[in-house]
Amino acid sequence: MLISDIDEMKAMHESAVVDSGFVATCGRMHDLNTLPGFAALTDEGILGTVFYLIENQECEIVSLESRKENLGVGSALVQRVVDHARTANCRRVWLVTTNENLRAIRFYQRRGFEMKALHRNAVEAARKLKPSIPFTSEDGIPIKHEIEFEMLL
């Protein structure tokens, strides 16, 4: 598996780098097409993507998608962002996930991220920016809160 810079892939006219989309985090809307990121590649194509934003010596992981789970794709992409953040002299890498996303909560904790904050009812504000956010998960868990994770560098 090769981890490649998404901007370089776009410059080489790679198709299907990312499904265009918007992500709402902490009351802010992000357009993935305007963010830097990395893609995990094999001969089969793109196995996953990660998009991030560096501001004020902090690196936010805005979106992580693994198209094939349990192969180390997500772990490799997150590690690449952490390495890049260190090179960019960031103080921390952080992200948010929602309260019902138990798989993501486990994933980030296993990779050294710690819970920093619970933003109660933050998804209400996110829905104002992105009305398509569902009210409940497929498991029937209400989607209400954002949980902030961080890794100090």
Side-chain angles (χ1 to χ4, degrees), residues 57-90:
Q57 293 184 290
E58 295 186 352
C59 178
E60 177 185 5
I61 295 176
V62 175
S63 173
L64 173 65
E65 177 197 12
S66 178
R67 297 178 184 171
K68 291 196 176 183
E69 295 189 0
N70 301 315
L71 296 177
V73 174
S75 297
L77 289 167
V78 167
Q79 187 58 53
R80 183 66 181 91
V81 172
V82 169
D83 293 343
H84 181 72
R86 279 193 177 104
T87 302
N89 295 315
C90 292

Side-chain angles (χ1 to χ4, degrees), residues 51-152:
F51 293 88
Y52 63 91
L53 177 64
I54 294 178
E55 291 181 324
N56 302 317
Q57 293 184 290
E58 295 186 352
C59 178
E60 177 185 5
I61 295 176
V62 175
S63 173
L64 173 65
E65 177 197 12
S66 178
R67 297 178 184 171
K68 291 196 176 183
E69 295 189 0
N70 301 315
L71 296 177
V73 174
S75 297
L77 289 167
V78 167
Q79 187 58 53
R80 183 66 181 91
V81 172
V82 169
D83 293 343
H84 181 72
R86 279 193 177 104
T87 302
N89 295 315
C90 292
R91 296 180 310 226
R92 72 178 189 136
V93 176
W94 68 281
L95 61 106
V96 297
T97 191
T98 48
N99 63 283
E100 94 301 345
N101 196 343
L102 304 178
R103 191 169 184 145
I105 292 167
R106 283 192 304 271
F107 175 86
Y108 289 111
Q109 288 181 95
R110 287 180 180 154
R111 280 141 193 90
F113 286 81
E114 295 192 18
M115 287 186 194
K116 165 79 172 166
L118 171 67
H119 302 283
R120 292 182 54 81
N121 299 312
V123 179
E124 279 183 35
R127 278 193 193 96
K128 291 177 183 171
L129 297 171
K130 187 177 178 181
S132 62
I133 297 172
F135 286 88
T136 57
S137 70
E138 292 177 5
D139 296 327
I141 300 171
I143 303 171
K144 297 170 68 172
H145 315 297
E146 291 181 341
I147 301 170
E148 181 178 336
F149 285 89
E150 74 173 0
M151 177 186 286
L152 299 176

